[in-house]
Amino acid sequence: MQITYDFSGKIVLVTGGGSGIGRASSEAFGAAGAIVAVADISEKNGLETVEAIRAAGGTAEFIFVDVSNEESVKAMIKSVVDTFGTLDIAHNNAGIEGNHIPLAELPSDNWRQVIDVDLTSVFYCLKAEIPEMMKNGGGAIVNTASASGLIGGYNLSVYTAAKHGVIGLTKAAAMDYANKGIRINSICPGAIDTPFIAALPKPLIDRVTFATPMDRLGQPREIAQSVLWLCSDASSYVTGHSLSVDGGVVLGG
Ligand code: NAD
C-alpha cells in the first residue's frame, strides 16, 4: 500500500539522489508536491532522477556534491538556498559500503574513505542544513544509517562503525535541536534492492536474503515511504529515533 503525503511547496534536499534509495526518496517527495534538490557526485545519475521527477509532473533540480568534502557540502546548501530561497527538509543519504574483508586486512585508506563518505559527511550536512532550517523556525532531517548501525556484520568493520556513528550523531543532534523545531531521525534499511547490493557477490546476496525473516530484499520505495513519514507531520513527536525498515533482519541480532 502506498500512503500519500502532501509536501506541497516544501524545499527538500536528498543526497545520493542519483540512485537506489536516494532516487526513490527524491521521486516520492516529488510525487508528494515537494520541490526536490537532487544532490549527487554523479551528474548523470542525478539528472536521470531529475528527469524522472519532471516526467511525473514534479519539480526538481540537480546539484553536484561530494558529501565527503565540507566545502562541497557548503556549496550545495548555498546552491539550494540561492535557487529555492530556503531549505525545509533534508535526507542525508549518500553512502558507500567499503571493502568486504576481515578487519586486519582492511587498508587504512579504505577506513578513512568510508568514514568520510558515510559518517563525516552527515556531520558536514547537518552543520550546513541546521542554520538554514533555524531561519524557518524548524525542519526535518533523516540520515540514512543501516541495519549495520545496530548490529555487527562479517567483514564490514568500517561500514558498521560508520553507520553506528550515524545513529549516535543523529541522537546527539536531535537533542541539541529538539526544542528548536528541528526533528532529526535516522533510518536503518536492511538489504535493499539497489545497485549498492547488486554489486555484491551472489553468495553474499543469498546470505543476507536468507538472514532476512521476510525472505526477500526490500525495495527502495519501501525505504522512501518511511523517510516521508519521518519528515511529515504524522511523526511530529518523533526525534532521535532509528527506524528499522529491514524485513526483520535485526530481530535475530
Ligand atoms: P546506491 O549506490 O544505489 O546509491 C548511492 C548514491 O550515492 C549514488 O548515486 C552515488 O553516486 C552517491 N554517492 C556516493 N558517494 C558520494 C559522495 N561522496 N558524494 C555524493 N554522492 C555520493 O546505494 P543505495 O543502496 O541507494 O544506498 C544509499 C544509502 O543507503 C547509503 O548510505 C547506504 O549505506 C544505505 N544503505 C543501503 C542499503 C542497501 O541494502 N542498499 C542498506 C542499508 C543502508
Side-chain angles (χ1 to χ4, degrees), residues 20-61:
I21 291 168
R23 175 171 289 178
S25 156
S26 298
E27 290 187 6
F29 275 118
I35 296 161
V36 189
V38 178
D40 206 287
I41 201 165
S42 164
E43 182 173 8
K44 177 180 167 291
N45 290 357
L47 286 172
E48 279 175 15
T49 302
V50 166
E51 286 313 315
I53 292 170
R54 289 179 182 162
T59 306
E61 294 290 342

PDB file of all heavy atoms in Angstrom, residues 20-61:
ATOM      1  N   GLY A  20      19.249   4.293  -6.375  1.00  0.00           N
ATOM      2  CA  GLY A  20      18.740   3.484  -5.259  1.00  0.00           C
ATOM      3  C   GLY A  20      17.769   4.176  -4.333  1.00  0.00           C
ATOM      4  O   GLY A  20      16.740   4.716  -4.748  1.00  0.00           O
ATOM      5  N   ILE A  21      18.116   4.165  -3.048  1.00  0.00           N
ATOM      6  CA  ILE A  21      17.227   4.708  -2.007  1.00  0.00           C
ATOM      7  C   ILE A  21      17.033   6.219  -2.199  1.00  0.00           C
ATOM      8  O   ILE A  21      15.920   6.735  -2.071  1.00  0.00           O
ATOM      9  CB  ILE A  21      17.826   4.391  -0.617  1.00  0.00           C
ATOM     10  CG1 ILE A  21      17.743   2.879  -0.343  1.00  0.00           C
ATOM     11  CG2 ILE A  21      17.128   5.191   0.481  1.00  0.00           C
ATOM     12  CD1 ILE A  21      18.547   2.400   0.856  1.00  0.00           C
ATOM     13  N   GLY A  22      18.109   6.933  -2.517  1.00  0.00           N
ATOM     14  CA  GLY A  22      18.009   8.385  -2.700  1.00  0.00           C
ATOM     15  C   GLY A  22      17.133   8.742  -3.888  1.00  0.00           C
ATOM     16  O   GLY A  22      16.393   9.730  -3.851  1.00  0.00           O
ATOM     17  N   ARG A  23      17.233   7.957  -4.956  1.00  0.00           N
ATOM     18  CA  ARG A  23      16.352   8.209  -6.112  1.00  0.00           C
ATOM     19  C   ARG A  23      14.893   7.965  -5.721  1.00  0.00           C
ATOM     20  O   ARG A  23      14.008   8.774  -6.033  1.00  0.00           O
ATOM     21  CB  ARG A  23      16.731   7.327  -7.302  1.00  0.00           C
ATOM     22  CG  ARG A  23      15.770   7.492  -8.462  1.00  0.00           C
ATOM     23  CD  ARG A  23      16.234   6.812  -9.715  1.00  0.00           C
ATOM     24  NE  ARG A  23      17.374   7.506 -10.300  1.00  0.00           N
ATOM     25  CZ  ARG A  23      18.016   7.099 -11.395  1.00  0.00           C
ATOM     26  NH1 ARG A  23      17.628   6.018 -12.025  1.00  0.00           N
ATOM     27  NH2 ARG A  23      19.030   7.784 -11.875  1.00  0.00           N
ATOM     28  N   ALA A  24      14.637   6.866  -5.017  1.00  0.00           N
ATOM     29  CA  ALA A  24      13.252   6.566  -4.612  1.00  0.00           C
ATOM     30  C   ALA A  24      12.713   7.645  -3.682  1.00  0.00           C
ATOM     31  O   ALA A  24      11.551   8.060  -3.792  1.00  0.00           O
ATOM     32  CB  ALA A  24      13.204   5.201  -3.926  1.00  0.00           C
ATOM     33  N   SER A  25      13.550   8.113  -2.774  1.00  0.00           N
ATOM     34  CA  SER A  25      13.115   9.161  -1.852  1.00  0.00           C
ATOM     35  C   SER A  25      12.851  10.466  -2.621  1.00  0.00           C
ATOM     36  O   SER A  25      11.824  11.129  -2.414  1.00  0.00           O
ATOM     37  CB  SER A  25      14.210   9.318  -0.781  1.00  0.00           C
ATOM     38  OG  SER A  25      14.205  10.557  -0.196  1.00  0.00           O
ATOM     39  N   SER A  26      13.758  10.818  -3.542  1.00  0.00           N
ATOM     40  CA  SER A  26      13.571  12.033  -4.353  1.00  0.00           C
ATOM     41  C   SER A  26      12.258  11.950  -5.135  1.00  0.00           C
ATOM     42  O   SER A  26      11.481  12.921  -5.184  1.00  0.00           O
ATOM     43  CB  SER A  26      14.731  12.194  -5.344  1.00  0.00           C
ATOM     44  OG  SER A  26      15.957  12.340  -4.678  1.00  0.00           O
ATOM     45  N   GLU A  27      12.027  10.796  -5.765  1.00  0.00           N
ATOM     46  CA  GLU A  27      10.808  10.646  -6.584  1.00  0.00           C
ATOM     47  C   GLU A  27       9.558  10.700  -5.702  1.00  0.00           C
ATOM     48  O   GLU A  27       8.540  11.278  -6.101  1.00  0.00           O
ATOM     49  CB  GLU A  27      10.862   9.331  -7.377  1.00  0.00           C
ATOM     50  CG  GLU A  27      11.909   9.373  -8.473  1.00  0.00           C
ATOM     51  CD  GLU A  27      11.880   8.153  -9.392  1.00  0.00           C
ATOM     52  OE1 GLU A  27      10.962   7.310  -9.258  1.00  0.00           O
ATOM     53  OE2 GLU A  27      12.769   8.046 -10.235  1.00  0.00           O
ATOM     54  N   ALA A  28       9.636  10.099  -4.521  1.00  0.00           N
ATOM     55  CA  ALA A  28       8.458  10.099  -3.633  1.00  0.00           C
ATOM     56  C   ALA A  28       8.165  11.513  -3.136  1.00  0.00           C
ATOM     57  O   ALA A  28       7.000  11.936  -3.093  1.00  0.00           O
ATOM     58  CB  ALA A  28       8.691   9.151  -2.455  1.00  0.00           C
ATOM     59  N   PHE A  29       9.206  12.270  -2.772  1.00  0.00           N
ATOM     60  CA  PHE A  29       8.981  13.670  -2.366  1.00  0.00           C
ATOM     61  C   PHE A  29       8.424  14.469  -3.538  1.00  0.00           C
ATOM     62  O   PHE A  29       7.504  15.286  -3.360  1.00  0.00           O
ATOM     63  CB  PHE A  29      10.290  14.298  -1.878  1.00  0.00           C
ATOM     64  CG  PHE A  29      10.609  14.044  -0.426  1.00  0.00           C
ATOM     65  CD1 PHE A  29      11.752  13.342  -0.058  1.00  0.00           C
ATOM     66  CD2 PHE A  29       9.779  14.524   0.581  1.00  0.00           C
ATOM     67  CE1 PHE A  29      12.059  13.118   1.274  1.00  0.00           C
ATOM     68  CE2 PHE A  29      10.077  14.305   1.927  1.00  0.00           C
ATOM     69  CZ  PHE A  29      11.224  13.602   2.275  1.00  0.00           C
ATOM     70  N   GLY A  30       8.976  14.238  -4.734  1.00  0.00           N
ATOM     71  CA  GLY A  30       8.497  14.956  -5.918  1.00  0.00           C
ATOM     72  C   GLY A  30       7.030  14.656  -6.186  1.00  0.00           C
ATOM     73  O   GLY A  30       6.233  15.565  -6.469  1.00  0.00           O
ATOM     74  N   ALA A  31       6.658  13.383  -6.056  1.00  0.00           N
ATOM     75  CA  ALA A  31       5.259  12.996  -6.295  1.00  0.00           C
ATOM     76  C   ALA A  31       4.332  13.578  -5.230  1.00  0.00           C
ATOM     77  O   ALA A  31       3.131  13.738  -5.467  1.00  0.00           O
ATOM     78  CB  ALA A  31       5.149  11.469  -6.303  1.00  0.00           C
ATOM     79  N   ALA A  32       4.898  13.896  -4.071  1.00  0.00           N
ATOM     80  CA  ALA A  32       4.088  14.459  -2.975  1.00  0.00           C
ATOM     81  C   ALA A  32       4.088  15.990  -3.007  1.00  0.00           C
ATOM     82  O   ALA A  32       3.660  16.633  -2.045  1.00  0.00           O
ATOM     83  CB  ALA A  32       4.625  13.963  -1.629  1.00  0.00           C
ATOM     84  N   GLY A  33       4.595  16.572  -4.090  1.00  0.00           N
ATOM     85  CA  GLY A  33       4.460  18.022  -4.283  1.00  0.00           C
ATOM     86  C   GLY A  33       5.659  18.845  -3.865  1.00  0.00           C
ATOM     87  O   GLY A  33       5.657  20.067  -4.013  1.00  0.00           O
ATOM     88  N   ALA A  34       6.708  18.182  -3.336  1.00  0.00           N
ATOM     89  CA  ALA A  34       7.886  18.941  -2.899  1.00  0.00           C
ATOM     90  C   ALA A  34       8.688  19.423  -4.100  1.00  0.00           C
ATOM     91  O   ALA A  34       8.603  18.864  -5.196  1.00  0.00           O
ATOM     92  CB  ALA A  34       8.768  18.058  -2.019  1.00  0.00           C
ATOM     93  N   ILE A  35       9.485  20.462  -3.855  1.00  0.00           N
ATOM     94  CA  ILE A  35      10.494  20.911  -4.820  1.00  0.00           C
ATOM     95  C   ILE A  35      11.784  20.238  -4.373  1.00  0.00           C
ATOM     96  O   ILE A  35      12.237  20.431  -3.247  1.00  0.00           O
ATOM     97  CB  ILE A  35      10.606  22.442  -4.785  1.00  0.00           C
ATOM     98  CG1 ILE A  35       9.268  23.047  -5.242  1.00  0.00           C
ATOM     99  CG2 ILE A  35      11.775  22.930  -5.633  1.00  0.00           C
ATOM    100  CD1 ILE A  35       9.063  24.472  -4.846  1.00  0.00           C
ATOM    101  N   VAL A  36      12.357  19.386  -5.255  1.00  0.00           N
ATOM    102  CA  VAL A  36      13.422  18.484  -4.815  1.00  0.00           C
ATOM    103  C   VAL A  36      14.771  18.903  -5.392  1.00  0.00           C
ATOM    104  O   VAL A  36      14.940  19.020  -6.608  1.00  0.00           O
ATOM    105  CB  VAL A  36      13.120  17.029  -5.239  1.00  0.00           C
ATOM    106  CG1 VAL A  36      14.122  16.076  -4.574  1.00  0.00           C
ATOM    107  CG2 VAL A  36      11.700  16.632  -4.863  1.00  0.00           C
ATOM    108  N   ALA A  37      15.746  19.098  -4.493  1.00  0.00           N
ATOM    109  CA  ALA A  37      17.135  19.294  -4.890  1.00  0.00           C
ATOM    110  C   ALA A  37      17.802  17.921  -4.824  1.00  0.00           C
ATOM    111  O   ALA A  37      17.981  17.359  -3.748  1.00  0.00           O
ATOM    112  CB  ALA A  37      17.825  20.270  -3.947  1.00  0.00           C
ATOM    113  N   VAL A  38      18.113  17.382  -6.001  1.00  0.00           N
ATOM    114  CA  VAL A  38      18.715  16.053  -6.102  1.00  0.00           C
ATOM    115  C   VAL A  38      20.233  16.239  -6.140  1.00  0.00           C
ATOM    116  O   VAL A  38      20.779  16.714  -7.138  1.00  0.00           O
ATOM    117  CB  VAL A  38      18.242  15.337  -7.381  1.00  0.00           C
ATOM    118  CG1 VAL A  38      18.909  13.974  -7.512  1.00  0.00           C
ATOM    119  CG2 VAL A  38      16.720  15.206  -7.404  1.00  0.00           C
ATOM    120  N   ALA A  39      20.913  15.879  -5.054  1.00  0.00           N
ATOM    121  CA  ALA A  39      22.359  16.110  -4.971  1.00  0.00           C
ATOM    122  C   ALA A  39      23.099  14.786  -5.089  1.00  0.00           C
ATOM    123  O   ALA A  39      22.712  13.796  -4.454  1.00  0.00           O
ATOM    124  CB  ALA A  39      22.698  16.783  -3.646  1.00  0.00           C
ATOM    125  N   ASP A  40      24.151  14.790  -5.892  1.00  0.00           N
ATOM    126  CA  ASP A  40      24.908  13.545  -6.076  1.00  0.00           C
ATOM    127  C   ASP A  40      26.283  13.877  -6.635  1.00  0.00           C
ATOM    128  O   ASP A  40      26.489  14.936  -7.241  1.00  0.00           O
ATOM    129  CB  ASP A  40      24.163  12.601  -7.039  1.00  0.00           C
ATOM    130  CG  ASP A  40      24.498  11.134  -6.792  1.00  0.00           C
ATOM    131  OD1 ASP A  40      25.624  10.702  -7.132  1.00  0.00           O
ATOM    132  OD2 ASP A  40      23.636  10.414  -6.244  1.00  0.00           O
ATOM    133  N   ILE A  41      27.212  12.930  -6.467  1.00  0.00           N
ATOM    134  CA  ILE A  41      28.543  13.089  -7.067  1.00  0.00           C
ATOM    135  C   ILE A  41      28.495  12.701  -8.543  1.00  0.00           C
ATOM    136  O   ILE A  41      29.374  13.078  -9.314  1.00  0.00           O
ATOM    137  CB  ILE A  41      29.572  12.235  -6.293  1.00  0.00           C
ATOM    138  CG1 ILE A  41      31.000  12.736  -6.529  1.00  0.00           C
ATOM    139  CG2 ILE A  41      29.426  10.744  -6.596  1.00  0.00           C
ATOM    140  CD1 ILE A  41      32.011  12.186  -5.533  1.00  0.00           C
ATOM    141  N   SER A  42      27.454  11.946  -8.924  1.00  0.00           N
ATOM    142  CA  SER A  42      27.274  11.545 -10.318  1.00  0.00           C
ATOM    143  C   SER A  42      26.228  12.449 -10.977  1.00  0.00           C
ATOM    144  O   SER A  42      25.030  12.338 -10.682  1.00  0.00           O
ATOM    145  CB  SER A  42      26.820  10.080 -10.415  1.00  0.00           C
ATOM    146  OG  SER A  42      26.312   9.826 -11.710  1.00  0.00           O
ATOM    147  N   GLU A  43      26.708  13.327 -11.869  1.00  0.00           N
ATOM    148  CA  GLU A  43      25.771  14.234 -12.553  1.00  0.00           C
ATOM    149  C   GLU A  43      24.800  13.443 -13.423  1.00  0.00           C
ATOM    150  O   GLU A  43      23.602  13.726 -13.450  1.00  0.00           O
ATOM    151  CB  GLU A  43      26.556  15.242 -13.400  1.00  0.00           C
ATOM    152  CG  GLU A  43      25.653  16.230 -14.101  1.00  0.00           C
ATOM    153  CD  GLU A  43      26.422  17.332 -14.814  1.00  0.00           C
ATOM    154  OE1 GLU A  43      27.653  17.245 -14.898  1.00  0.00           O
ATOM    155  OE2 GLU A  43      25.764  18.275 -15.299  1.00  0.00           O
ATOM    156  N   LYS A  44      25.338  12.415 -14.095  1.00  0.00           N
ATOM    157  CA  LYS A  44      24.500  11.612 -14.994  1.00  0.00           C
ATOM    158  C   LYS A  44      23.327  10.991 -14.215  1.00  0.00           C
ATOM    159  O   LYS A  44      22.165  11.117 -14.597  1.00  0.00           O
ATOM    160  CB  LYS A  44      25.364  10.523 -15.640  1.00  0.00           C
ATOM    161  CG  LYS A  44      24.611   9.570 -16.536  1.00  0.00           C
ATOM    162  CD  LYS A  44      25.544   8.524 -17.128  1.00  0.00           C
ATOM    163  CE  LYS A  44      24.777   7.391 -17.774  1.00  0.00           C
ATOM    164  NZ  LYS A  44      24.059   6.544 -16.819  1.00  0.00           N
ATOM    165  N   ASN A  45      23.653  10.328 -13.106  1.00  0.00           N
ATOM    166  CA  ASN A  45      22.597   9.670 -12.317  1.00  0.00           C
ATOM    167  C   ASN A  45      21.637  10.691 -11.719  1.00  0.00           C
ATOM    168  O   ASN A  45      20.417  10.477 -11.692  1.00  0.00           O
ATOM    169  CB  ASN A  45      23.217   8.843 -11.189  1.00  0.00           C
ATOM    170  CG  ASN A  45      23.949   7.623 -11.700  1.00  0.00           C
ATOM    171  OD1 ASN A  45      23.952   7.342 -12.897  1.00  0.00           O
ATOM    172  ND2 ASN A  45      24.580   6.894 -10.803  1.00  0.00           N
ATOM    173  N   GLY A  46      22.198  11.799 -11.234  1.00  0.00           N
ATOM    174  CA  GLY A  46      21.348  12.823 -10.625  1.00  0.00           C
ATOM    175  C   GLY A  46      20.370  13.406 -11.631  1.00  0.00           C
ATOM    176  O   GLY A  46      19.183  13.594 -11.331  1.00  0.00           O
ATOM    177  N   LEU A  47      20.871  13.655 -12.851  1.00  0.00           N
ATOM    178  CA  LEU A  47      19.987  14.214 -13.879  1.00  0.00           C
ATOM    179  C   LEU A  47      18.898  13.225 -14.282  1.00  0.00           C
ATOM    180  O   LEU A  47      17.772  13.627 -14.593  1.00  0.00           O
ATOM    181  CB  LEU A  47      20.811  14.648 -15.098  1.00  0.00           C
ATOM    182  CG  LEU A  47      21.619  15.936 -14.891  1.00  0.00           C
ATOM    183  CD1 LEU A  47      22.551  16.193 -16.079  1.00  0.00           C
ATOM    184  CD2 LEU A  47      20.699  17.144 -14.667  1.00  0.00           C
ATOM    185  N   GLU A  48      19.226  11.928 -14.257  1.00  0.00           N
ATOM    186  CA  GLU A  48      18.189  10.915 -14.556  1.00  0.00           C
ATOM    187  C   GLU A  48      17.053  10.991 -13.536  1.00  0.00           C
ATOM    188  O   GLU A  48      15.873  10.891 -13.877  1.00  0.00           O
ATOM    189  CB  GLU A  48      18.807   9.509 -14.530  1.00  0.00           C
ATOM    190  CG  GLU A  48      19.525   9.136 -15.817  1.00  0.00           C
ATOM    191  CD  GLU A  48      20.225   7.782 -15.712  1.00  0.00           C
ATOM    192  OE1 GLU A  48      19.934   7.003 -14.771  1.00  0.00           O
ATOM    193  OE2 GLU A  48      21.065   7.516 -16.578  1.00  0.00           O
ATOM    194  N   THR A  49      17.424  11.170 -12.280  1.00  0.00           N
ATOM    195  CA  THR A  49      16.382  11.293 -11.241  1.00  0.00           C
ATOM    196  C   THR A  49      15.549  12.548 -11.465  1.00  0.00           C
ATOM    197  O   THR A  49      14.309  12.516 -11.371  1.00  0.00           O
ATOM    198  CB  THR A  49      17.037  11.333  -9.837  1.00  0.00           C
ATOM    199  OG1 THR A  49      17.807  10.149  -9.648  1.00  0.00           O
ATOM    200  CG2 THR A  49      15.990  11.441  -8.742  1.00  0.00           C
ATOM    201  N   VAL A  50      16.237  13.658 -11.777  1.00  0.00           N
ATOM    202  CA  VAL A  50      15.522  14.921 -12.035  1.00  0.00           C
ATOM    203  C   VAL A  50      14.536  14.731 -13.187  1.00  0.00           C
ATOM    204  O   VAL A  50      13.361  15.145 -13.099  1.00  0.00           O
ATOM    205  CB  VAL A  50      16.534  16.050 -12.351  1.00  0.00           C
ATOM    206  CG1 VAL A  50      15.844  17.266 -12.955  1.00  0.00           C
ATOM    207  CG2 VAL A  50      17.304  16.435 -11.085  1.00  0.00           C
ATOM    208  N   GLU A  51      14.991  14.079 -14.268  1.00  0.00           N
ATOM    209  CA  GLU A  51      14.108  13.861 -15.424  1.00  0.00           C
ATOM    210  C   GLU A  51      12.899  13.010 -15.037  1.00  0.00           C
ATOM    211  O   GLU A  51      11.776  13.266 -15.469  1.00  0.00           O
ATOM    212  CB  GLU A  51      14.878  13.194 -16.572  1.00  0.00           C
ATOM    213  CG  GLU A  51      15.823  14.138 -17.297  1.00  0.00           C
ATOM    214  CD  GLU A  51      15.169  15.473 -17.654  1.00  0.00           C
ATOM    215  OE1 GLU A  51      14.030  15.471 -18.147  1.00  0.00           O
ATOM    216  OE2 GLU A  51      15.792  16.516 -17.392  1.00  0.00           O
ATOM    217  N   ALA A  52      13.131  11.985 -14.213  1.00  0.00           N
ATOM    218  CA  ALA A  52      12.026  11.105 -13.789  1.00  0.00           C
ATOM    219  C   ALA A  52      10.998  11.900 -12.985  1.00  0.00           C
ATOM    220  O   ALA A  52       9.782  11.714 -13.144  1.00  0.00           O
ATOM    221  CB  ALA A  52      12.566   9.939 -12.971  1.00  0.00           C
ATOM    222  N   ILE A  53      11.475  12.786 -12.108  1.00  0.00           N
ATOM    223  CA  ILE A  53      10.547  13.594 -11.296  1.00  0.00           C
ATOM    224  C   ILE A  53       9.754  14.539 -12.201  1.00  0.00           C
ATOM    225  O   ILE A  53       8.527  14.662 -12.077  1.00  0.00           O
ATOM    226  CB  ILE A  53      11.325  14.381 -10.213  1.00  0.00           C
ATOM    227  CG1 ILE A  53      11.914  13.410  -9.180  1.00  0.00           C
ATOM    228  CG2 ILE A  53      10.419  15.406  -9.525  1.00  0.00           C
ATOM    229  CD1 ILE A  53      12.892  14.038  -8.209  1.00  0.00           C
ATOM    230  N   ARG A  54      10.467  15.180 -13.131  1.00  0.00           N
ATOM    231  CA  ARG A  54       9.773  16.117 -14.046  1.00  0.00           C
ATOM    232  C   ARG A  54       8.768  15.378 -14.938  1.00  0.00           C
ATOM    233  O   ARG A  54       7.664  15.871 -15.183  1.00  0.00           O
ATOM    234  CB  ARG A  54      10.790  16.857 -14.908  1.00  0.00           C
ATOM    235  CG  ARG A  54      11.604  17.865 -14.099  1.00  0.00           C
ATOM    236  CD  ARG A  54      12.607  18.559 -14.981  1.00  0.00           C
ATOM    237  NE  ARG A  54      13.439  19.491 -14.231  1.00  0.00           N
ATOM    238  CZ  ARG A  54      14.587  19.971 -14.665  1.00  0.00           C
ATOM    239  NH1 ARG A  54      15.048  19.625 -15.860  1.00  0.00           N
ATOM    240  NH2 ARG A  54      15.294  20.795 -13.920  1.00  0.00           N
ATOM    241  N   ALA A  55       9.166  14.189 -15.407  1.00  0.00           N
ATOM    242  CA  ALA A  55       8.260  13.404 -16.274  1.00  0.00           C
ATOM    243  C   ALA A  55       6.970  13.041 -15.549  1.00  0.00           C
ATOM    244  O   ALA A  55       5.922  12.873 -16.170  1.00  0.00           O
ATOM    245  CB  ALA A  55       8.973  12.142 -16.763  1.00  0.00           C
ATOM    246  N   ALA A  56       7.067  12.934 -14.217  1.00  0.00           N
ATOM    247  CA  ALA A  56       5.870  12.604 -13.429  1.00  0.00           C
ATOM    248  C   ALA A  56       5.115  13.865 -13.002  1.00  0.00           C
ATOM    249  O   ALA A  56       4.169  13.789 -12.200  1.00  0.00           O
ATOM    250  CB  ALA A  56       6.282  11.794 -12.201  1.00  0.00           C
ATOM    251  N   GLY A  57       5.567  15.035 -13.511  1.00  0.00           N
ATOM    252  CA  GLY A  57       4.843  16.281 -13.221  1.00  0.00           C
ATOM    253  C   GLY A  57       5.404  17.060 -12.038  1.00  0.00           C
ATOM    254  O   GLY A  57       4.823  18.069 -11.628  1.00  0.00           O
ATOM    255  N   GLY A  58       6.518  16.614 -11.484  1.00  0.00           N
ATOM    256  CA  GLY A  58       7.086  17.279 -10.315  1.00  0.00           C
ATOM    257  C   GLY A  58       8.153  18.301 -10.679  1.00  0.00           C
ATOM    258  O   GLY A  58       8.454  18.537 -11.852  1.00  0.00           O
ATOM    259  N   THR A  59       8.746  18.893  -9.635  1.00  0.00           N
ATOM    260  CA  THR A  59       9.763  19.938  -9.805  1.00  0.00           C
ATOM    261  C   THR A  59      11.047  19.489  -9.127  1.00  0.00           C
ATOM    262  O   THR A  59      11.028  19.104  -7.952  1.00  0.00           O
ATOM    263  CB  THR A  59       9.290  21.254  -9.145  1.00  0.00           C
ATOM    264  OG1 THR A  59       8.007  21.569  -9.669  1.00  0.00           O
ATOM    265  CG2 THR A  59      10.254  22.395  -9.421  1.00  0.00           C
ATOM    266  N   ALA A  60      12.171  19.560  -9.873  1.00  0.00           N
ATOM    267  CA  ALA A  60      13.451  19.124  -9.310  1.00  0.00           C
ATOM    268  C   ALA A  60      14.592  19.787 -10.046  1.00  0.00           C
ATOM    269  O   ALA A  60      14.460  20.166 -11.204  1.00  0.00           O
ATOM    270  CB  ALA A  60      13.584  17.604  -9.417  1.00  0.00           C
ATOM    271  N   GLU A  61      15.716  19.926  -9.336  1.00  0.00           N
ATOM    272  CA  GLU A  61      16.965  20.409  -9.937  1.00  0.00           C
ATOM    273  C   GLU A  61      18.097  19.520  -9.440  1.00  0.00           C
ATOM    274  O   GLU A  61      18.033  19.019  -8.313  1.00  0.00           O
ATOM    275  CB  GLU A  61      17.268  21.860  -9.517  1.00  0.00           C
ATOM    276  CG  GLU A  61      16.290  22.894 -10.016  1.00  0.00           C
ATOM    277  CD  GLU A  61      16.354  23.137 -11.523  1.00  0.00           C
ATOM    278  OE1 GLU A  61      17.367  22.764 -12.153  1.00  0.00           O
ATOM    279  OE2 GLU A  61      15.371  23.677 -12.065  1.00  0.00           O
TER     280      GLU A  61
END
